[in-house]
């Protein structure tokens, strides 16, 4: 019969997975930030265009979330 994994060990494993996800998230955001800065430095986009697009996408996402939470409204 297989011994049950102690709950404390499961918490340690979960914390390790969370730490890995945080590191992955940091590296992803860092890479994205570097790419955006390069695009701006090279004149491919402006900060104003980037900000306007981010605002538009945020509004669109908020609308989709609201619609999914209140489908009949």
């Amino acid at each position: 019969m297989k011994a049950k994994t102690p709950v404390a060990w499961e918490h340690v494993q979960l914390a390790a997975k969370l730490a890995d996800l945080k590191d992955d998230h940091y590296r992803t955001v860092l890479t994205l930030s570097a790419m955006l800065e390069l695009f701006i430095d090279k004149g491919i986009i402006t900060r104003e265009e980037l900000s306007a697009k981010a605002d538009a996408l945020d509004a669109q996402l908020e609308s989709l979330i609201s619609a999914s939470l209140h489908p009949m409204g």
Side-chain angles (χ1 to χ4, degrees):
M1 182 190 270
K2 185 176 177 183
K4 186 175 179 185
T5 306
V7 173
W9 182 245
E10 290 177 5
H11 288 153
V12 169
Q13 290 175 323
L14 183 60
K17 288 179 185 178
L18 181 59
D20 288 344
L21 285 173
K22 287 175 72 174
D23 186 56
D24 288 347
H25 179 260
Y26 169 77
R27 295 196 180 285
T28 300
V29 170
L30 180 63
T31 300
L32 181 58
S33 296
M35 289 173 51
L36 291 171
E37 286 297 321
L38 285 170
F39 290 160
I40 291 168
D41 291 348
K42 292 178 180 283
I44 295 171
I45 61 171
T46 66
R47 290 192 189 279
E48 292 77 20
E49 290 171 324
L50 180 59
S51 181
K53 185 53 127 176
D55 290 344
L57 289 173
D58 185 48
Q60 182 181 11
L61 182 58
E62 287 291 328
S63 177
L64 288 171
I65 291 171
S66 179
S68 70
L69 293 175
H70 307 98
M72 300 302 239

